[in-house]
């Protein structure tokens, strides 16, 4: 039987790696890495570094080109589905051809594999297709949410209150769905225009040497966030940011 580990590696700081993840990396013979091209090279570099630090020889790294998602179509769900299918075909080929029976292979997943990440769904899809057989386990990781609240020294939750996790796309379309909202995957500063009753805890490149954070009532800090976000994106070629919105 082949064994696959889906390992959460934290949100950018190599020290986010848990001891469980360190042991999982040490137990792996084949690492599967999907390269997202030049812009996202920094993310691949972190994975390489973690493997060099914690991998146990002999291991192999198998790389494949990550298929591009069609970002031009308004049919978001359909585009994601098509992209997942193409990724599933790549995963299936890598597991079938590059991992021998009795070996352990690993996917190192940004943050935690259970938070806005498609690896689990893709692996399930590969298993369901029935052409390759393996067992798989998930190792939790520190999320960008934990990294955000920690750097702001803020609590994600208020006493006895719920928090909603959502995307920038939904926030833009529907407005804040709760009094405490954690927003991810926002390419357009969808918080802009909210009133002074909304406080934002914003962070980009969390856990990395480029980390930036801004906090305050939305109307007071929205221009600053837009400016630093645009500058950083221009300088590095990519950006990942997350924020907590809290109605006070
Ligand atoms: C595809 S999701 C992956 C989330 C990841 N699985 C996690 O546990 O954080 C990517 C989004 O996560 C957030 N994100 C991930 N890493 C981040 C970081 N280091 N700093 C800020 N936001 C981050 C951003 O909102 C980004 O758009």
């Amino acid at each position: 039987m082949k064994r696959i580990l889906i390992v959460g590696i934290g949100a950018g700081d190599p020290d986010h790696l848990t001891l469980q993840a360190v042991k999982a990396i040490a137990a792996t013979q084949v690492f599967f890495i999907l390269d997202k091209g030049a812009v996202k090279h920094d993310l691949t570099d972190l994975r390489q570094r973690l493997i060099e630090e914690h991998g146990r020889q002999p291991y192999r790294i198998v790389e494949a080109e990550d298929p591009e998602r069609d970002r031009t179509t308004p049919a978001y769900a359909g585009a994601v589905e098509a992209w997942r299918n193409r990724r599933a075909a790549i995963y299936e080929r890598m597991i079938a051809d590059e991992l021998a029976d009795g070996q352990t292979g690993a996917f190192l997943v940004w943050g935690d594999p259970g938070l806005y990440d498609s690896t689990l769904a893709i692996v399930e899809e590969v298993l369901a297709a029935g052409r390759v057989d393996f067992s798989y386990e998930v190792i939790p990781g520190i999320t960008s949410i934990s990294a955000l609240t920690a750097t702001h020294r803020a609590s994600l939750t208020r006493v006895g209150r719920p928090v909603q996790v959502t995307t920038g796309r939904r926030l833009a379309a529907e407005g804040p769905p709760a009094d405490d909202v954690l927003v991810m995957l926002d390419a357009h500063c969808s918080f802009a225009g909210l009133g002074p009753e909304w406080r934002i805890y914003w962070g980009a490149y969390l856990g990395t040497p480029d980390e930036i954070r801004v906090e305050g009532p939305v109307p007071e800090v929205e221009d600053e966030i837009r400016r630093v976000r645009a500058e950083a994106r221009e300088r590095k070629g990519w950006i990942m940011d997350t924020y907590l919105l809290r109605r006070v």
Side-chain angles (χ1 to χ4, degrees):
M1 188 69 144
K2 304 178 185 202
R3 178 182 178 229
I4 297 290
L5 301 176
I6 302 174
V7 185
I9 58 168
D13 185 338
D15 287 351
H16 282 174
L17 217 58
T18 64
L19 291 177
Q20 195 183 7
V22 167
K23 287 178 190 166
I25 291 174
T28 297
Q29 282 93 48
V30 184
F31 295 94
F32 300 112
I33 294 190
L34 268 75
D35 195 341
K36 288 175 191 268
V39 231
K40 296 263 172 91
H41 237 117
D42 292 3
L43 311 188
T44 311
D45 284 353
L46 176 70
R47 291 187 176 88
Q48 299 272 11
R49 176 174 165 189
L50 297 178
I51 293 168
E52 275 163 30
E53 270 177 32
H54 304 291
R56 231 177 251 160
Q57 293 286 5
Y59 60 75
R60 286 190 308 123
I61 298 178
V62 174
E63 289 181 75
E65 190 73 31
D66 202 2
E68 277 298 324
R69 201 173 85 208
D70 182 359
R71 290 172 198 277
T72 55
T73 168
Y76 179 74
V80 170
E81 184 66 26
W83 174 68
R84 268 189 190 177
N85 292 343
R86 272 181 287 140
R87 285 190 119 194
I90 295 171
Y91 279 39
E92 182 177 291
R93 185 185 48 70
M94 292 198 299
I95 296 169
D97 298 350
E98 305 285 353
L99 193 67
D101 269 342
Q103 282 194 320
T104 298
F107 292 96
L108 305 186
V109 174
W110 201 256
D112 180 82
L115 183 67
Y116 288 133
D117 185 274
S118 49
T119 310
L120 290 179
I122 294 170
V123 164
E124 271 299 322
E125 192 176 322
V126 173
L127 269 181
R131 288 181 288 267
V132 51
D133 197 22
F134 54 89
S135 67
Y136 79 94
E137 291 155 53
V138 179
I139 316 294
I142 290 183
T143 64
S144 48
I145 300 179
S146 321
L148 175 78
T149 53
T151 192
H152 280 289
R153 300 184 298 179
S155 174
L156 176 64
T157 50
R158 288 189 278 183
V159 181
R161 306 268 293 262
V163 169
Q164 179 129 7
V165 179
T166 191
T167 63
R169 188 178 281 261
R170 276 195 177 269
L171 181 69
E174 298 158 12
D179 288 345
D180 294 88
V181 189
L182 199 293
V183 185
M184 304 177 69
L185 296 158
D186 185 1
H188 302 291
C189 295
S190 305
F191 53 81
L194 290 175
E197 71 279 20
W198 287 98
R199 194 168 187 85
I200 186 168
Y201 301 81
W202 179 85
Y205 313 107
L206 294 160
T208 77
D210 297 305
E211 176 172 300
I212 319 170
R213 59 169 185 261
V214 178
E215 182 207 336
V218 171
E220 287 176 28
V221 296
E222 68 174 69
D223 287 346
E224 181 189 352
I225 296 175
R226 274 185 200 284
R227 183 178 47 77
V228 294
R229 191 182 189 284
E231 279 169 11
R233 191 172 193 283
E234 176 70 25
R235 181 166 33 89
K236 283 185 69 72
W238 61 277
I239 189 160
M240 282 208 293
D241 58 336
T242 302
Y243 51 92
L244 174 66
L245 288 171
R246 174 157 287 161
R247 195 202 295 266
V248 288

